[in-house]
Amino acid sequence: ITARQNIRRQLEENKRVTDAIINESPNSIFIKNAEGQFVLVNKAIASLYDTTPEDLINKSNAEIHSNSVEAS
């Protein structure tokens, strides 16, 4: 095993653990970019919007709320 392969494996394991912590937390966890768009969303916050984390990525609150108003 080369040093590079070992580092890659460690990074993959760290990402897996971090993703599990974020996604399984009962608390809402999210990160937005400078434009106010979600770049990271966990299941808890997605459930507040009655959607999936994937559906919230790259959307702002205005986009999400305008979509829910259009649907009503």
Side-chain angles (χ1 to χ4, degrees):
I1 298 175
T2 66
R4 179 174 281 180
Q5 289 172 326
N6 192 29
I7 291 169
R8 184 178 303 138
R9 286 187 184 141
Q10 288 174 344
L11 287 172
E12 289 170 356
E13 176 64 12
N14 287 346
K15 182 177 180 350
R16 187 188 65 73
V17 169
T18 302
D19 287 347
I21 291 169
I22 290 170
N23 286 318
E24 299 308 320
S25 173
N27 300 309
S28 297
I29 300 173
F30 64 92
I31 298 173
K32 289 184 175 186
N33 62 19
E35 290 79 36
Q37 298 168 320
F38 289 105
V39 294
L40 181 139
V41 180
N42 73 345
K43 293 175 188 175
I45 190 130
S47 70
L48 292 174
Y49 287 100
D50 195 30
T51 190
T52 64
E54 296 78 17
D55 286 341
L56 292 176
I57 300 298
N58 296 319
K59 292 183 181 169
S60 67
N61 283 8
E63 291 171 301
I64 295 163
H65 292 296
S66 72
N67 288 342
S68 64
V69 169
E70 291 170 5
S72 1

